[in-house]
Amino acid sequence: MDLSPLIAKPTYGSAGETGRWRNYRPVINTELCIKCGECMMYCPEGVISKNLIINYTYCKGCGVCREVCIQKAIVMMPE
Ligand code: SF4
Ligand code: SF4
């Protein structure tokens, strides 16, 4: 069965350049990161690339990536 109409997927930059009003920016500590990809999968804006580069133009600073990171490798830094 094709469930694609029922499943919402993030659309890259769908909310505009949200980085302009972001108060906190997520920063990945590469020494703690195990490259599991959870942050990339859960980011509602789809702005974390496969090689774990965050596009700060569209990141809205929601902190979902930090919450799902089992390694606690993401910190939210004030802008
Ligand atoms: S969820 Fe955490 S450990 Fe996993 S890839 Fe992202 S930053 Fe790295
Ligand atoms: S804070 Fe993290 S989850 Fe939220 S938009 Fe930015 S990269 Fe995505």
Side-chain angles (χ1 to χ4, degrees):
M1 181 196 304
D2 180 12
L3 295 177
S4 56
L6 304 175
I7 300 173
K9 295 178 182 171
T11 304
Y12 195 83
S14 61
E17 294 186 12
T18 51
R20 292 195 305 178
W21 48 257
R22 182 185 58 237
N23 293 321
Y24 291 88
R25 77 168 47 203
V27 177
I28 298 175
N29 181 334
T30 55
E31 292 185 8
L32 293 176
C33 175
I34 58 172
K35 298 180 172 41
C36 66
E38 288 288 293
C39 55
M40 179 189 71
M41 286 190 288
Y42 279 94
C43 172
E45 300 301 324
V47 296
I48 304 178
S49 69
K50 286 182 179 168
N51 54 357
L52 302 176
I53 303 297
I54 300 171
N55 185 327
Y56 290 116
T57 300
Y58 299 112
C59 164
K60 60 188 179 186
C62 64
V64 168
C65 53
R66 181 196 59 182
E67 292 300 315
V68 301
C69 178
I70 57 173
Q71 286 295 105
K72 304 295 182 201
I74 299 178
V75 293
M76 302 299 289
M77 303 293 290
E79 291 287 2

